Amino acid sequence: MSLFHIKPKIYYGSDSLDILKTLEMKKVFIVTDKTMVKLGVINNITDILKERNVEIEVYSDVNPDPKDEEIIKGMLDFVSFDPDCVIALGGGSPIDACKGILYFVKKIKRAMNETEKLTFIAVPTTSGTGSEVTTYSVVTSGNKKIPLSDVEMLPDIAILNPVFTETLPPAVIGDTGMDVLTHAIEAYVSANPNLFSRTLAIGAIRTVFSDLVKNYENPSLEKERTNMQIASCMAGVAFSTSSLGINHSVAHSVGALFHKPHGRLNAVLMPKIIAFNAKNPAARKAYCEIARALDFIPKTEQEGVEILIKGIEMRNAKMGIPKRLRDLGIPKDEYFKQIDKIINDIENDMCTEYNPRKFSYAEIKELLEEVY
Ligand SMILES: NC(=O)c1ccc[n+]([C@@H]2O[C@H](COP(=O)([O-])OP(=O)(O)OC[C@H]3O[C@@H](n4cnc5c(N)ncnc54)[C@H](O)[C@@H]3O)[C@@H](O)[C@H]2O)c1
Ligand SMILES: [Fe+2]
């Protein structure tokens, strides 16, 4: 049975925070990170809530790539505060941590025959993961990144306001923007595509190709910032229904071991993973369709693949993203010592299921050697 979800409600643009002035809420639990508090980004929300005399509790102990213990700590604070609204404010890390908190709180309450009735609002401050519109949450446990997926983790409301991405450092703009591109390309070439996901993926890819480098070079441009927020969101909806691929499986495994930014890992890996997947005829055709949607006129499908790879490499180079994992400071000895664990994690990652090319142990090992 095919299902295409349309949730959450998405308020976007520079007046989108006005929705917080109208919603019914008495106690709001905000999940965020220390940077949002330090930079005062959180004040854009708390100022409105304070004006309305809403009770607020802030949980800001979330770090990049949230760990299970950060989620457990957040659950304890959440339960003792007992809010009627929860706001996740931040990049993918605080939003995923918040989703993890809600996932486990709802499970526990259900086991006790209690229901959890609250409004869940996600406010992204990076244009990257699309977590505000996905059923996914990526949690790190030990040296493993585990993607969870459950419809219960979908926010009710997403607010995309360009004020929240004003303070992003260019390096984070580049990394997270390339994460958007990876989501959209993997959603498009997935072995489980549909017309909804493919149409949204193409919209996201075209927007990243036209606006990401401009956003990186001049973060004050509001139109490009707004467009990247929408691209991130479209790519999130796209991969939510068609799934991702091994670009993400490799990034999850290597990221959990070596703690490098998720988007940057995806960006470094993407050209070689596209070349690897393009050995599959259906994937090759799909990559060529993407090149055509970007207004290139390749003579053959293989030429389409190569044009797409070139376009990605050019954008990586302009944003200071290196070509290989070794350039990210991942130590060679440790990487090759862990290669069997990496392969095992890739095989067990839910993103691998719909990768367009199936592969043997020897083939994935060769790819991992090549990307290093
Ligand atoms: N749920 C999903 O669907 C999904 C999809 C892809 C990735 N992920 C996960 O999301 C996480 C990555 O999220 P991310 O790439 O958005 O980064 P992040 O949330 O980890 O943030 C990266 C850094 O940027 C800072 N930052 C964020 N917004 C800022 C702003 N407006 N101004 C200044 N600094 C800011 C943060 O404080 C942090 O130091 C990873 O754990 C990844 O695995 C989730
Ligand atoms: Fe991602």
Side-chain angles (χ1 to χ4, degrees):
M1 192 165 63
S2 306
L3 173 67
F4 181 73
H5 274 284
I6 304 193
K7 200 190 165 195
K9 284 184 181 163
I10 302 165
Y11 294 88
Y12 65 97
S14 52
D15 58 357
S16 50
L17 275 169
D18 287 353
I19 185 61
L20 293 181
K21 297 177 185 162
T22 63
L23 292 172
E24 202 157 305
M25 49 174 87
K26 289 191 179 70
K27 293 177 89 177
V28 176
F29 189 71
I30 301 178
V31 179
T32 189
D33 66 19
K34 296 268 185 292
T35 312
M36 297 301 103
V37 177
K38 205 169 82 197
L39 294 176
V41 176
I42 194 172
N43 301 344
N44 290 295
I45 290 175
T46 48
D47 286 354
I48 295 174
L49 301 183
K50 281 178 192 158
E51 187 112 321
R52 296 185 57 192
N53 292 320
V54 170
E55 215 182 311
I56 303 167
E57 173 143 327
V58 177
Y59 177 67
S60 63
D61 288 343
V62 180
N63 290 297
D65 298 335
K67 293 187 193 57
D68 40 11
E69 63 245 39
E70 291 164 24
I71 287 163
I72 293 166
K73 199 161 165 253
M75 277 170 67
L76 297 174
D77 286 9
F78 178 97
V79 171
S80 67
F81 184 60
D82 194 22
D84 59 0
C85 173
V86 57
I87 300 181
L89 170 75
S93 297
I95 298 179
D96 281 9
C98 187
K99 285 168 147 180
I101 292 169
L102 290 177
Y103 177 78
F104 292 111
V105 166
K106 283 182 182 178
K107 270 206 173 342
I108 294 167
K109 291 220 167 173
R110 194 159 314 125
M112 291 158 49
N113 280 331
E114 286 178 32
T115 46
E116 184 61 58
K117 237 184 138 276
L118 48 69
T119 310
F120 176 22
I121 304 174
V123 186
T125 65
T126 59
S127 294
T129 67
S131 186
E132 70 279 8
V133 288
T134 75
T135 55
Y136 291 92
S137 165
V138 186
V139 178
T140 300
S141 182
N143 59 5
K144 218 171 174 163
K145 269 185 140 180
I146 305 165
L148 305 169
S149 176
D150 195 303
V151 84
E152 297 249 29
M153 291 192 285
L154 256 181
D156 302 299
I157 290 174
I159 300 177
L160 311 180
N161 190 308
V163 75
F164 291 109
T165 50
E166 239 170 40
T167 48
L168 273 176
V172 182
I173 294 175
D175 293 349
T176 52
M178 291 310 277
D179 192 25
V180 174
L181 188 62
T182 319
H183 296 155
I185 291 180
E186 293 212 289
Y188 192 91
V189 304
S190 147
N192 180 35
N194 62 70
L195 187 55
F196 294 110
S197 69
R198 284 197 148 183
T199 307
L200 288 164
I202 288 294
I205 294 166
R206 284 177 65 101
T207 309
V208 172
F209 262 69
S210 70
D211 290 348
L212 175 59
V213 173
K214 288 184 208 156
N215 180 199
Y216 170 87
E217 287 173 346
N218 190 351
S220 66
L221 296 173
E222 189 171 310
K223 179 169 160 279
E224 283 70 12
R225 270 209 329 276
T226 304
N227 286 352
M228 280 305 300
Q229 288 183 308
I230 294 174
S232 171
C233 201
M234 290 195 292
V237 178
F239 85 73
S240 244
T241 55
S242 65
S243 184
L244 291 165
I246 57 163
N247 208 131
H248 268 78
S249 312
V250 179
H252 287 154
S253 175
V254 174
L257 284 168
F258 300 105
H259 310 291
K260 303 294 170 194
H262 170 75
R264 180 159 288 230
L265 280 170
N266 274 330
V268 171
L269 297 166
M270 202 171 4
K272 294 215 164 44
I273 291 200
I274 291 177
F276 177 85
N277 277 340
K279 299 260 168 27
N280 170 285
R284 187 162 57 237
K285 180 168 176 281
Y287 289 128
C288 181
E289 285 167 5
I290 295 174
R292 292 209 168 98
L294 288 166
D295 301 329
F296 293 106
I297 312 172
K299 290 190 204 68
T300 62
E301 284 180 356
Q302 187 53 35
E303 196 183 307
V305 175
E306 281 154 25
I307 289 171
L308 179 62
I309 292 175
K310 266 268 151 329
I312 294 164
E313 286 174 340
M314 276 169 56
R315 279 160 183 80
N316 276 349
K318 281 193 177 167
M319 298 187 294
I321 295 173
K323 288 190 170 150
R324 290 172 185 279
L325 294 179
R326 73 171 76 127
D327 307 321
L328 295 178
I330 294 177
K332 187 172 183 181
D333 290 0
E334 197 50 33
Y335 179 78
F336 284 97
K337 209 163 83 192
Q338 297 282 1
I339 215 119
D340 278 336
K341 182 194 179 310
I342 295 173
I343 294 173
N344 188 48
D345 287 352
I346 293 168
E347 282 167 350
N348 291 315
D349 192 306
M350 66 159 72
C351 298
T352 302
E353 186 178 359
Y354 293 114
N355 190 66
R357 178 181 165 186
K358 303 295 163 221
F359 47 82
S360 64
Y361 174 90
E363 286 166 338
I364 192 79
K365 188 160 186 242
E366 196 183 325
L367 173 67
L368 290 171
E369 284 163 2
E370 218 182 304
V371 292
Y372 187 81

